[in-house]
mmCIF file of all heavy atoms in Angstrom:
data_model
loop_
_atom_site.group_PDB
_atom_site.id
_atom_site.type_symbol
_atom_site.label_atom_id
_atom_site.label_comp_id
_atom_site.label_asym_id
_atom_site.label_seq_id
_atom_site.Cartn_x
_atom_site.Cartn_y
_atom_site.Cartn_z
ATOM 1 N N SER K 1 5.394 -11.056 35.235
ATOM 2 C CA SER K 1 6.368 -11.537 34.253
ATOM 3 C C SER K 1 6.514 -13.054 34.331
ATOM 4 O O SER K 1 6.624 -13.737 33.300
ATOM 5 C CB SER K 1 7.718 -10.852 34.477
ATOM 6 O OG SER K 1 8.701 -11.361 33.586
ATOM 7 N N HIS K 2 6.484 -13.584 35.555
ATOM 8 C CA HIS K 2 6.660 -15.022 35.750
ATOM 9 C C HIS K 2 5.422 -15.812 35.324
ATOM 10 O O HIS K 2 5.542 -16.923 34.818
ATOM 11 C CB HIS K 2 6.965 -15.313 37.211
ATOM 12 C CG HIS K 2 7.395 -16.722 37.469
ATOM 13 N ND1 HIS K 2 8.704 -17.139 37.352
ATOM 14 C CD2 HIS K 2 6.697 -17.833 37.819
ATOM 15 C CE1 HIS K 2 8.786 -18.430 37.603
ATOM 16 N NE2 HIS K 2 7.581 -18.877 37.903
ATOM 17 N N THR K 3 4.238 -15.234 35.516
ATOM 18 C CA THR K 3 2.994 -15.991 35.286
ATOM 19 C C THR K 3 2.340 -15.700 33.941
ATOM 20 O O THR K 3 1.601 -16.550 33.421
ATOM 21 C CB THR K 3 1.968 -15.699 36.393
ATOM 22 O OG1 THR K 3 1.712 -14.294 36.467
ATOM 23 C CG2 THR K 3 2.511 -16.161 37.750
ATOM 24 N N SER K 4 2.573 -14.517 33.350
ATOM 25 C CA SER K 4 1.990 -14.117 32.061
ATOM 26 C C SER K 4 0.514 -14.532 31.952
ATOM 27 O O SER K 4 0.133 -15.279 31.038
ATOM 28 C CB SER K 4 2.773 -14.727 30.902
ATOM 29 O OG SER K 4 4.127 -14.319 30.936
ATOM 30 N N PRO K 5 -0.332 -14.064 32.845
ATOM 31 C CA PRO K 5 -1.710 -14.572 32.868
ATOM 32 C C PRO K 5 -2.587 -14.030 31.743
ATOM 33 O O PRO K 5 -2.485 -12.862 31.358
ATOM 34 C CB PRO K 5 -2.227 -14.083 34.222
ATOM 35 C CG PRO K 5 -1.469 -12.804 34.471
ATOM 36 C CD PRO K 5 -0.101 -13.048 33.898
ATOM 37 N N GLU K 6 -3.440 -14.915 31.228
ATOM 38 C CA GLU K 6 -4.509 -14.481 30.320
ATOM 39 C C GLU K 6 -5.791 -14.249 31.104
ATOM 40 O O GLU K 6 -6.715 -13.595 30.610
ATOM 41 C CB GLU K 6 -4.722 -15.528 29.236
ATOM 42 C CG GLU K 6 -3.511 -15.720 28.335
ATOM 43 C CD GLU K 6 -3.633 -16.925 27.424
ATOM 44 O OE1 GLU K 6 -4.609 -16.977 26.650
ATOM 45 O OE2 GLU K 6 -2.780 -17.847 27.512
ATOM 46 N N HIS K 7 -5.839 -14.809 32.309
ATOM 47 C CA HIS K 7 -6.975 -14.648 33.204
ATOM 48 C C HIS K 7 -6.435 -14.492 34.627
ATOM 49 O O HIS K 7 -5.472 -15.170 35.016
ATOM 50 C CB HIS K 7 -7.909 -15.870 33.169
ATOM 51 C CG HIS K 7 -8.185 -16.387 31.797
ATOM 52 N ND1 HIS K 7 -9.214 -15.933 31.009
ATOM 53 C CD2 HIS K 7 -7.533 -17.327 31.060
ATOM 54 C CE1 HIS K 7 -9.197 -16.561 29.860
ATOM 55 N NE2 HIS K 7 -8.182 -17.420 29.862
ATOM 56 N N ILE K 8 -7.049 -13.596 35.397
ATOM 57 C CA ILE K 8 -6.757 -13.478 36.815
ATOM 58 C C ILE K 8 -8.073 -13.698 37.564
ATOM 59 O O ILE K 8 -9.026 -12.925 37.397
ATOM 60 C CB ILE K 8 -6.177 -12.094 37.176
ATOM 61 C CG1 ILE K 8 -4.841 -11.882 36.490
ATOM 62 C CG2 ILE K 8 -6.013 -11.956 38.702
ATOM 63 C CD1 ILE K 8 -4.222 -10.498 36.734
ATOM 64 N N LEU K 9 -8.142 -14.762 38.323
ATOM 65 C CA LEU K 9 -9.357 -15.112 39.054
ATOM 66 C C LEU K 9 -9.070 -14.990 40.540
ATOM 67 O O LEU K 9 -8.175 -15.658 41.064
ATOM 68 C CB LEU K 9 -9.818 -16.531 38.704
ATOM 69 C CG LEU K 9 -11.228 -16.943 39.144
ATOM 70 C CD1 LEU K 9 -11.741 -18.095 38.270
ATOM 71 C CD2 LEU K 9 -11.311 -17.344 40.615
ATOM 72 N N GLU K 10 -9.853 -14.128 41.215
ATOM 73 C CA GLU K 10 -9.570 -13.812 42.612
ATOM 74 C C GLU K 10 -10.720 -14.270 43.519
ATOM 75 O O GLU K 10 -11.851 -13.803 43.382
ATOM 76 C CB GLU K 10 -9.337 -12.324 42.807
ATOM 77 C CG GLU K 10 -9.014 -11.951 44.249
ATOM 78 C CD GLU K 10 -8.584 -10.520 44.422
ATOM 79 O OE1 GLU K 10 -8.670 -9.732 43.447
ATOM 80 O OE2 GLU K 10 -8.129 -10.174 45.542
ATOM 81 N N PHE K 11 -10.414 -15.161 44.453
ATOM 82 C CA PHE K 11 -11.386 -15.626 45.436
ATOM 83 C C PHE K 11 -11.519 -14.592 46.549
ATOM 84 O O PHE K 11 -10.515 -14.073 47.057
ATOM 85 C CB PHE K 11 -10.943 -16.959 46.043
ATOM 86 C CG PHE K 11 -10.814 -18.078 45.042
ATOM 87 C CD1 PHE K 11 -9.571 -18.479 44.580
ATOM 88 C CD2 PHE K 11 -11.934 -18.710 44.542
ATOM 89 C CE1 PHE K 11 -9.452 -19.496 43.649
ATOM 90 C CE2 PHE K 11 -11.833 -19.734 43.614
ATOM 91 C CZ PHE K 11 -10.585 -20.124 43.157
ATOM 92 N N GLY K 12 -12.769 -14.298 46.931
ATOM 93 C CA GLY K 12 -13.003 -13.333 48.004
ATOM 94 C C GLY K 12 -12.437 -11.977 47.659
ATOM 95 O O GLY K 12 -11.755 -11.346 48.467
ATOM 96 N N SER K 13 -12.765 -11.487 46.489
ATOM 97 C CA SER K 13 -12.114 -10.293 45.941
ATOM 98 C C SER K 13 -12.460 -9.009 46.677
ATOM 99 O O SER K 13 -11.658 -8.079 46.697
ATOM 100 C CB SER K 13 -12.489 -10.137 44.461
ATOM 101 O OG SER K 13 -13.901 -10.183 44.297
ATOM 102 N N GLY K 14 -13.664 -8.925 47.281
ATOM 103 C CA GLY K 14 -14.048 -7.690 47.976
ATOM 104 C C GLY K 14 -13.966 -6.490 47.057
ATOM 105 O O GLY K 14 -14.485 -6.515 45.918
ATOM 106 N N SER K 15 -13.303 -5.432 47.499
ATOM 107 C CA SER K 15 -13.177 -4.228 46.678
ATOM 108 C C SER K 15 -12.014 -4.297 45.688
ATOM 109 O O SER K 15 -11.815 -3.364 44.906
ATOM 110 C CB SER K 15 -12.986 -2.991 47.567
ATOM 111 O OG SER K 15 -11.774 -3.092 48.287
ATOM 112 N N SER K 16 -11.243 -5.374 45.721
ATOM 113 C CA SER K 16 -10.140 -5.617 44.766
ATOM 114 C C SER K 16 -9.075 -4.534 44.801
ATOM 115 O O SER K 16 -8.375 -4.304 43.807
ATOM 116 C CB SER K 16 -10.685 -5.750 43.329
ATOM 117 O OG SER K 16 -11.674 -6.730 43.239
ATOM 118 N N ARG K 17 -8.933 -3.870 45.933
ATOM 119 C CA ARG K 17 -8.024 -2.709 45.976
ATOM 120 C C ARG K 17 -6.568 -3.098 45.732
ATOM 121 O O ARG K 17 -5.847 -2.369 45.031
ATOM 122 C CB ARG K 17 -8.200 -1.964 47.305
ATOM 123 C CG ARG K 17 -7.968 -2.823 48.538
ATOM 124 C CD ARG K 17 -8.488 -2.127 49.802
ATOM 125 N NE ARG K 17 -7.665 -0.980 50.172
ATOM 126 C CZ ARG K 17 -7.953 -0.185 51.195
ATOM 127 N NH1 ARG K 17 -9.031 -0.392 51.911
ATOM 128 N NH2 ARG K 17 -7.161 0.811 51.484
ATOM 129 N N LYS K 18 -6.123 -4.221 46.294
ATOM 130 C CA LYS K 18 -4.718 -4.601 46.121
ATOM 131 C C LYS K 18 -4.436 -5.209 44.749
ATOM 132 O O LYS K 18 -3.294 -5.223 44.283
ATOM 133 C CB LYS K 18 -4.310 -5.578 47.210
ATOM 134 C CG LYS K 18 -4.215 -4.955 48.589
ATOM 135 C CD LYS K 18 -4.025 -5.988 49.670
ATOM 136 C CE LYS K 18 -5.260 -6.843 49.831
ATOM 137 N NZ LYS K 18 -5.252 -7.719 51.004
ATOM 138 N N THR K 19 -5.483 -5.698 44.092
ATOM 139 C CA THR K 19 -5.322 -6.322 42.788
ATOM 140 C C THR K 19 -4.836 -5.314 41.751
ATOM 141 O O THR K 19 -4.252 -5.695 40.724
ATOM 142 C CB THR K 19 -6.658 -6.946 42.336
ATOM 143 O OG1 THR K 19 -7.246 -7.629 43.446
ATOM 144 C CG2 THR K 19 -6.456 -7.924 41.203
ATOM 145 N N ARG K 20 -5.075 -4.043 42.021
ATOM 146 C CA ARG K 20 -4.639 -3.011 41.083
ATOM 147 C C ARG K 20 -3.130 -3.061 40.813
ATOM 148 O O ARG K 20 -2.675 -2.738 39.718
ATOM 149 C CB ARG K 20 -5.024 -1.626 41.609
ATOM 150 C CG ARG K 20 -6.516 -1.312 41.525
ATOM 151 C CD ARG K 20 -6.802 0.066 42.053
ATOM 152 N NE ARG K 20 -8.211 0.420 41.972
ATOM 153 C CZ ARG K 20 -8.793 0.972 40.902
ATOM 154 N NH1 ARG K 20 -8.054 1.234 39.808
ATOM 155 N NH2 ARG K 20 -10.087 1.258 40.903
ATOM 156 N N HIS K 21 -2.357 -3.463 41.813
ATOM 157 C CA HIS K 21 -0.899 -3.542 41.614
ATOM 158 C C HIS K 21 -0.584 -4.546 40.495
ATOM 159 O O HIS K 21 0.302 -4.299 39.666
ATOM 160 C CB HIS K 21 -0.204 -3.963 42.900
ATOM 161 C CG HIS K 21 -0.342 -2.985 44.018
ATOM 162 N ND1 HIS K 21 0.052 -1.660 43.902
ATOM 163 C CD2 HIS K 21 -0.843 -3.120 45.282
ATOM 164 C CE1 HIS K 21 -0.185 -1.029 45.047
ATOM 165 N NE2 HIS K 21 -0.727 -1.883 45.890
ATOM 166 N N LEU K 22 -1.282 -5.656 40.500
ATOM 167 C CA LEU K 22 -1.042 -6.672 39.464
ATOM 168 C C LEU K 22 -1.548 -6.214 38.116
ATOM 169 O O LEU K 22 -0.912 -6.459 37.084
ATOM 170 C CB LEU K 22 -1.718 -7.983 39.880
ATOM 171 C CG LEU K 22 -1.174 -8.628 41.166
ATOM 172 C CD1 LEU K 22 -2.059 -9.770 41.627
ATOM 173 C CD2 LEU K 22 0.256 -9.117 40.959
ATOM 174 N N LEU K 23 -2.702 -5.532 38.099
ATOM 175 C CA LEU K 23 -3.239 -5.036 36.827
ATOM 176 C C LEU K 23 -2.342 -3.960 36.248
ATOM 177 O O LEU K 23 -2.156 -3.887 35.022
ATOM 178 C CB LEU K 23 -4.658 -4.526 37.036
ATOM 179 C CG LEU K 23 -5.682 -5.578 37.466
ATOM 180 C CD1 LEU K 23 -7.042 -4.938 37.686
ATOM 181 C CD2 LEU K 23 -5.790 -6.695 36.433
ATOM 182 N N HIS K 24 -1.783 -3.115 37.110
ATOM 183 C CA HIS K 24 -0.843 -2.086 36.652
ATOM 184 C C HIS K 24 0.376 -2.748 36.010
ATOM 185 O O HIS K 24 0.871 -2.297 34.966
ATOM 186 C CB HIS K 24 -0.423 -1.185 37.800
ATOM 187 C CG HIS K 24 0.547 -0.121 37.407
ATOM 188 N ND1 HIS K 24 0.209 0.944 36.593
ATOM 189 C CD2 HIS K 24 1.863 0.044 37.700
ATOM 190 C CE1 HIS K 24 1.253 1.710 36.410
ATOM 191 N NE2 HIS K 24 2.282 1.188 37.073
ATOM 192 N N ALA K 25 0.852 -3.835 36.622
ATOM 193 C CA ALA K 25 2.004 -4.540 36.056
ATOM 194 C C ALA K 25 1.646 -5.155 34.707
ATOM 195 O O ALA K 25 2.465 -5.151 33.775
ATOM 196 C CB ALA K 25 2.476 -5.623 37.029
ATOM 197 N N CYS K 26 0.430 -5.683 34.593
ATOM 198 C CA CYS K 26 -0.024 -6.206 33.288
ATOM 199 C C CYS K 26 0.006 -5.101 32.241
ATOM 200 O O CYS K 26 0.483 -5.297 31.107
ATOM 201 C CB CYS K 26 -1.438 -6.762 33.401
ATOM 202 S SG CYS K 26 -1.590 -8.317 34.293
ATOM 203 N N GLU K 27 -0.509 -3.931 32.618
ATOM 204 C CA GLU K 27 -0.545 -2.792 31.701
ATOM 205 C C GLU K 27 0.870 -2.397 31.270
ATOM 206 O O GLU K 27 1.115 -2.149 30.077
ATOM 207 C CB GLU K 27 -1.243 -1.625 32.400
ATOM 208 C CG GLU K 27 -1.690 -0.509 31.504
ATOM 209 C CD GLU K 27 -2.629 0.433 32.259
ATOM 210 O OE1 GLU K 27 -2.244 0.915 33.349
ATOM 211 O OE2 GLU K 27 -3.730 0.685 31.751
ATOM 212 N N GLN K 28 1.791 -2.344 32.231
ATOM 213 C CA GLN K 28 3.167 -1.948 31.927
ATOM 214 C C GLN K 28 3.867 -2.950 31.011
ATOM 215 O O GLN K 28 4.746 -2.584 30.223
ATOM 216 C CB GLN K 28 3.954 -1.795 33.229
ATOM 217 C CG GLN K 28 3.500 -0.636 34.104
ATOM 218 C CD GLN K 28 3.691 0.708 33.433
ATOM 219 O OE1 GLN K 28 4.793 1.031 32.976
ATOM 220 N NE2 GLN K 28 2.629 1.492 33.353
ATOM 221 N N GLN K 29 3.450 -4.213 31.081
ATOM 222 C CA GLN K 29 4.081 -5.257 30.280
ATOM 223 C C GLN K 29 3.263 -5.617 29.036
ATOM 224 O O GLN K 29 3.547 -6.609 28.367
ATOM 225 C CB GLN K 29 4.311 -6.507 31.149
ATOM 226 C CG GLN K 29 5.270 -6.251 32.292
ATOM 227 C CD GLN K 29 5.475 -7.466 33.185
ATOM 228 O OE1 GLN K 29 5.462 -8.616 32.706
ATOM 229 N NE2 GLN K 29 5.672 -7.258 34.488
ATOM 230 N N ASN K 30 2.231 -4.791 28.752
ATOM 231 C CA ASN K 30 1.367 -5.019 27.583
ATOM 232 C C ASN K 30 0.747 -6.410 27.578
ATOM 233 O O ASN K 30 0.632 -7.054 26.538
ATOM 234 C CB ASN K 30 2.148 -4.785 26.280
ATOM 235 C CG ASN K 30 2.572 -3.335 26.117
ATOM 236 O OD1 ASN K 30 1.772 -2.435 26.353
ATOM 237 N ND2 ASN K 30 3.814 -3.116 25.725
ATOM 238 N N ILE K 31 0.377 -6.856 28.768
ATOM 239 C CA ILE K 31 -0.326 -8.141 28.902
ATOM 240 C C ILE K 31 -1.799 -7.835 29.102
ATOM 241 O O ILE K 31 -2.190 -7.239 30.107
ATOM 242 C CB ILE K 31 0.222 -8.948 30.103
ATOM 243 C CG1 ILE K 31 1.673 -9.374 29.825
ATOM 244 C CG2 ILE K 31 -0.653 -10.168 30.365
ATOM 245 C CD1 ILE K 31 2.328 -10.082 31.002
ATOM 246 N N THR K 32 -2.609 -8.186 28.115
ATOM 247 C CA THR K 32 -4.051 -8.001 28.253
ATOM 248 C C THR K 32 -4.664 -9.299 28.782
ATOM 249 O O THR K 32 -4.357 -10.381 28.284
ATOM 250 C CB THR K 32 -4.696 -7.624 26.921
ATOM 251 O OG1 THR K 32 -4.411 -8.627 25.958
ATOM 252 C CG2 THR K 32 -4.175 -6.281 26.440
ATOM 253 N N CYS K 33 -5.479 -9.166 29.782
ATOM 254 C CA CYS K 33 -6.086 -10.343 30.385
ATOM 255 C C CYS K 33 -7.509 -9.993 30.809
ATOM 256 O O CYS K 33 -7.940 -8.843 30.694
ATOM 257 C CB CYS K 33 -5.277 -10.820 31.590
ATOM 258 S SG CYS K 33 -5.201 -9.626 32.938
ATOM 259 N N GLU K 34 -8.245 -10.983 31.261
ATOM 260 C CA GLU K 34 -9.545 -10.711 31.859
ATOM 261 C C GLU K 34 -9.443 -10.933 33.355
ATOM 262 O O GLU K 34 -8.633 -11.746 33.818
ATOM 263 C CB GLU K 34 -10.638 -11.585 31.240
ATOM 264 C CG GLU K 34 -10.516 -13.076 31.488
ATOM 265 C CD GLU K 34 -11.705 -13.843 30.930
ATOM 266 O OE1 GLU K 34 -12.428 -13.307 30.076
ATOM 267 O OE2 GLU K 34 -11.909 -15.003 31.348
ATOM 268 N N TYR K 35 -10.244 -10.179 34.085
ATOM 269 C CA TYR K 35 -10.254 -10.254 35.545
ATOM 270 C C TYR K 35 -11.589 -10.812 36.000
ATOM 271 O O TYR K 35 -12.654 -10.315 35.619
ATOM 272 C CB TYR K 35 -10.006 -8.878 36.134
ATOM 273 C CG TYR K 35 -10.100 -8.829 37.649
ATOM 274 C CD1 TYR K 35 -9.409 -9.737 38.445
ATOM 275 C CD2 TYR K 35 -10.895 -7.876 38.287
ATOM 276 C CE1 TYR K 35 -9.488 -9.701 39.820
ATOM 277 C CE2 TYR K 35 -10.964 -7.819 39.673
ATOM 278 C CZ TYR K 35 -10.270 -8.739 40.436
ATOM 279 O OH TYR K 35 -10.356 -8.705 41.809
ATOM 280 N N LEU K 36 -11.528 -11.879 36.812
ATOM 281 C CA LEU K 36 -12.723 -12.543 37.320
ATOM 282 C C LEU K 36 -12.743 -12.443 38.835
ATOM 283 O O LEU K 36 -12.226 -13.339 39.533
ATOM 284 C CB LEU K 36 -12.767 -14.012 36.878
ATOM 285 C CG LEU K 36 -12.794 -14.283 35.367
ATOM 286 C CD1 LEU K 36 -11.373 -14.541 34.853
ATOM 287 C CD2 LEU K 36 -13.687 -15.456 35.030
ATOM 288 N N PRO K 37 -13.315 -11.365 39.391
ATOM 289 C CA PRO K 37 -13.458 -11.290 40.849
ATOM 290 C C PRO K 37 -14.592 -12.207 41.310
ATOM 291 O O PRO K 37 -15.690 -12.166 40.732
ATOM 292 C CB PRO K 37 -13.791 -9.813 41.070
ATOM 293 C CG PRO K 37 -14.462 -9.373 39.813
ATOM 294 C CD PRO K 37 -13.848 -10.183 38.698
ATOM 295 N N PHE K 38 -14.342 -13.010 42.311
ATOM 296 C CA PHE K 38 -15.290 -14.019 42.784
ATOM 297 C C PHE K 38 -15.624 -13.696 44.234
ATOM 298 O O PHE K 38 -14.765 -13.781 45.117
ATOM 299 C CB PHE K 38 -14.642 -15.404 42.651
ATOM 300 C CG PHE K 38 -15.539 -16.581 42.926
ATOM 301 C CD1 PHE K 38 -15.055 -17.874 42.755
ATOM 302 C CD2 PHE K 38 -16.850 -16.439 43.349
ATOM 303 C CE1 PHE K 38 -15.851 -18.985 42.982
ATOM 304 C CE2 PHE K 38 -17.662 -17.530 43.581
ATOM 305 C CZ PHE K 38 -17.152 -18.811 43.411
ATOM 306 N N ASP K 39 -16.880 -13.299 44.495
ATOM 307 C CA ASP K 39 -17.221 -12.848 45.832
ATOM 308 C C ASP K 39 -18.711 -13.142 46.098
ATOM 309 O O ASP K 39 -19.509 -13.320 45.164
ATOM 310 C CB ASP K 39 -16.957 -11.356 45.983
ATOM 311 C CG ASP K 39 -16.783 -10.930 47.433
ATOM 312 O OD1 ASP K 39 -15.634 -10.965 47.915
ATOM 313 O OD2 ASP K 39 -17.779 -10.575 48.074
ATOM 314 N N VAL K 40 -19.059 -13.162 47.370
ATOM 315 C CA VAL K 40 -20.438 -13.421 47.777
ATOM 316 C C VAL K 40 -21.291 -12.171 47.736
ATOM 317 O O VAL K 40 -22.529 -12.250 47.683
ATOM 318 C CB VAL K 40 -20.478 -14.060 49.182
ATOM 319 C CG1 VAL K 40 -20.120 -13.048 50.245
ATOM 320 C CG2 VAL K 40 -21.820 -14.713 49.471
ATOM 321 N N CYS K 41 -20.680 -10.991 47.725
ATOM 322 C CA CYS K 41 -21.400 -9.712 47.796
ATOM 323 C C CYS K 41 -21.551 -9.138 46.391
ATOM 324 O O CYS K 41 -20.612 -8.578 45.821
ATOM 325 C CB CYS K 41 -20.678 -8.722 48.698
ATOM 326 S SG CYS K 41 -21.556 -7.143 48.863
ATOM 327 N N GLU K 42 -22.752 -9.259 45.820
ATOM 328 C CA GLU K 42 -22.976 -8.818 44.455
ATOM 329 C C GLU K 42 -22.872 -7.294 44.323
ATOM 330 O O GLU K 42 -22.377 -6.773 43.319
ATOM 331 C CB GLU K 42 -24.341 -9.277 43.952
ATOM 332 C CG GLU K 42 -24.580 -8.953 42.495
ATOM 333 C CD GLU K 42 -25.823 -9.595 41.917
ATOM 334 O OE1 GLU K 42 -26.517 -10.330 42.648
ATOM 335 O OE2 GLU K 42 -26.111 -9.348 40.731
ATOM 336 N N ASP K 43 -23.333 -6.562 45.351
ATOM 337 C CA ASP K 43 -23.236 -5.103 45.305
ATOM 338 C C ASP K 43 -21.787 -4.663 45.136
ATOM 339 O O ASP K 43 -21.493 -3.754 44.344
ATOM 340 C CB ASP K 43 -23.825 -4.479 46.572
ATOM 341 C CG ASP K 43 -25.332 -4.603 46.643
ATOM 342 O OD1 ASP K 43 -25.962 -4.640 45.559
ATOM 343 O OD2 ASP K 43 -25.878 -4.666 47.751
ATOM 344 N N MET K 44 -20.889 -5.289 45.876
ATOM 345 C CA MET K 44 -19.481 -4.918 45.782
ATOM 346 C C MET K 44 -18.934 -5.285 44.393
ATOM 347 O O MET K 44 -18.150 -4.517 43.803
ATOM 348 C CB MET K 44 -18.679 -5.627 46.864
ATOM 349 C CG MET K 44 -17.207 -5.230 46.914
ATOM 350 S SD MET K 44 -16.953 -3.468 47.272
ATOM 351 C CE MET K 44 -17.402 -3.431 49.015
#
């Protein structure tokens, strides 16, 4: 609610498991954004 992001960019995202809490909040507030996970492991 405070940040109203259009983009969420995460350094060292890994499996992004905790990021789901923020995405769920976006969904609940009808905020559509893009997610940019930034990591060294392409497979992940």
Side-chain angles (χ1 to χ4, degrees):
S1 177
H2 190 86
T3 57
S4 301
E6 297 169 58
H7 316 272
I8 297 177
L9 193 157
E10 181 172 8
F11 299 103
S13 52
S15 64
S16 305
R17 57 194 290 176
K18 290 171 292 190
T19 316
R20 287 181 178 273
H21 296 303
L22 297 170
L23 296 178
H24 179 69
C26 288
E27 195 168 53
Q28 293 297 307
Q29 297 178 34
N30 294 316
I31 293 175
T32 57
C33 63
E34 65 175 18
Y35 175 50
L36 299 96
F38 188 177
D39 202 89
V40 72
C41 182
E42 185 171 358
D43 289 332
M44 185 62 72

